[in-house]
Amino acid sequence: MPKITDGAEIQTVITTFEMTPGTCQDLLDALQDAYGAFISKQPGFVAAGLHVNDAQTRIANYSQWRSREDFMAMLRSDEMRARNRKINELCRSFEPVMYEVSATFEAS
């Protein structure tokens, strides 16, 4: 489970996928398979989560990596390039964006 902490020495990647309700489950299955069989086993992987909106038109993916280089190496691998081609066929668009945690808040 991702843990969000101020000042953590990790790279955060948030990816938003846009799709139709008809392809949402297929895309979710492809993403779950990618994480279970490949991504989670890559050097530098820390944690990830998948979130689906009520209309099943968007999936948000939050992942954490030890470094930007680890994430980029995973993306450039032959296996992930092949998986991303399939993922791209199941959605209108997807865009991974790298972030650093600026602040966190908890209920008091």
Side-chain angles (χ1 to χ4, degrees), residues 3-4 6-7 17 21 28 32 49-50 52-53 70 73 84 90 92-93 97 101-102 106:
K3 183 175 181 181
I4 305 169
D6 292 353
F17 300 84
L28 189 58
Q32 289 175 333
L50 293 167
V52 180
N53 73 334
D70 289 331
N84 275 338
L90 295 171
R92 290 185 189 134
S93 66
V97 180
V101 176
S102 295
E106 294 183 32

Side-chain angles (χ1 to χ4, degrees), residues 14-19 58-61 91 93-97:
I14 301 174
T15 306
T16 306
F17 300 84
E18 292 186 36
M19 81 292 298
R58 290 181 187 264
I59 295 175
N61 169 225
C91 62
S93 66
F94 70 98
E95 180 180 13
V97 180

Side-chain angles (χ1 to χ4, degrees), residues 35-56:
Y35 272 101
F38 181 71
I39 299 171
S40 64
K41 296 169 177 44
Q42 297 310 294
F45 176 80
V46 175
L50 293 167
H51 309 263
V52 180
N53 73 334
D54 289 345
Q56 296 190 335

Side-chain angles (χ1 to χ4, degrees), residues 41-101:
K41 296 169 177 44
Q42 297 310 294
F45 176 80
V46 175
L50 293 167
H51 309 263
V52 180
N53 73 334
D54 289 345
Q56 296 190 335
T57 56
R58 290 181 187 264
I59 295 175
N61 169 225
Y62 183 95
S63 65
Q64 296 173 325
W65 295 82
R66 187 180 57 218
S67 70
R68 174 186 176 92
E69 292 76 22
D70 289 331
F71 175 72
M72 296 305 293
M74 178 277 299
L75 276 185
R76 291 179 181 132
S77 69
D78 289 340
E79 180 161 349
M80 200 61 218
R81 290 173 62 194
R83 286 179 180 271
N84 275 338
R85 283 190 289 276
K86 178 182 177 186
I87 288 167
N88 190 51
E89 292 173 2
L90 295 171
C91 62
R92 290 185 189 134
S93 66
F94 70 98
E95 180 180 13
V97 180
M98 294 187 193
Y99 295 88
E100 292 182 14
V101 176

